[in-house]
């Protein structure tokens, strides 16, 4: 589980938009950029090169939240 205080301080490096913690995939998701940043060993990897592109279905799912 990601610390809520840490999550409130982190933003997407590409867009500076807020992030959503997705517990099932253990990723931080940015709807604005369409990127999901992995969390490895409880450390968010906030590098665009390490992020994966969200699918269209995933973008719609997170927009609805």
């Amino acid at each position: 589980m990601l610390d809520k205080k840490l999550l409130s301080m982190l933003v997407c490096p590409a867009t500076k938009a807020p992030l959503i913690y997705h517990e099932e995939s253990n990723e931080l998701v940015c709807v604005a950029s369409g990127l999901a940043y992995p969390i490895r060993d409880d450390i968010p990897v906030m590098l665009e090169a390490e992020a994966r592109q969200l699918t269209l279905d995933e973008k719609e799912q997170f927009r609805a939240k």
Side-chain angles (χ1 to χ4, degrees):
M1 181 68 185
L2 189 67
D3 181 45
K4 290 182 184 206
K5 186 174 182 179
L6 175 62
L7 180 59
S8 71
M9 291 186 278
L10 293 174
V11 295
C12 175
T15 63
K16 308 300 184 242
L19 299 166
I20 301 167
Y21 175 59
H22 189 245
E23 190 172 355
E24 293 171 15
S25 63
N26 201 34
E27 295 175 315
L28 294 174
V29 174
C30 177
V31 176
S33 67
L35 296 174
Y37 298 92
I39 300 172
R40 296 186 187 126
D41 299 322
D42 296 325
I43 300 170
V45 181
M46 303 303 295
L47 301 170
E48 289 181 63
E50 294 290 323
R52 70 173 181 86
Q53 192 71 40
L54 295 174
T55 65
L56 290 176
D57 289 340
E58 288 175 318
K59 285 181 188 178
E60 290 303 317
Q61 174 190 352
F62 288 111
R63 279 192 182 115
K65 287 185 179 185

